[in-house]
Amino acid sequence: MIVLAAAVVSGVPAWVTTADGLLPGHGPVQAIRAITADAGLGPAGIARTLAWLAVGAIGYLLATARRRTTRPASMVIDHPGA
């Protein structure tokens, strides 16, 4: 919501504008602006969005692996003769 507010309202404080560039929603807004204005910065916004997606996926996997009581390696079934 802060990303959209900073994009729409021009009278936002400087700290909000600075924080806007660090938030996950900045990439998609940047990509949409570039595509609609034909500014050529669409790939940068898409790359930023994919980077936040990767950070979220890695965080999810780490959190899930940390809370498991059974490790995935112990669930492997050994096939004799294979």
Side-chain angles (χ1 to χ4, degrees):
M1 201 55 127
I2 294 173
V3 174
L4 293 176
V8 175
V9 179
S10 61
V12 295
W15 66 271
V16 173
T17 307
T18 303
D20 175 47
L22 303 174
L23 296 173
H26 184 70
V29 171
Q30 182 183 11
I32 291 171
R33 279 183 172 174
I35 292 168
T36 57
D38 198 25
L41 295 173
I46 293 169
R48 182 176 256 174
T49 304
L50 292 176
W52 273 110
L53 177 66
V55 168
I58 291 169
Y60 165 77
L61 292 173
L62 290 174
T64 303
R66 185 169 186 241
R67 293 294 300 166
R68 288 185 185 224
T69 55
T70 303
R71 298 284 171 208
S74 67
M75 297 175 66
V76 176
I77 299 172
D78 292 327
H79 295 284

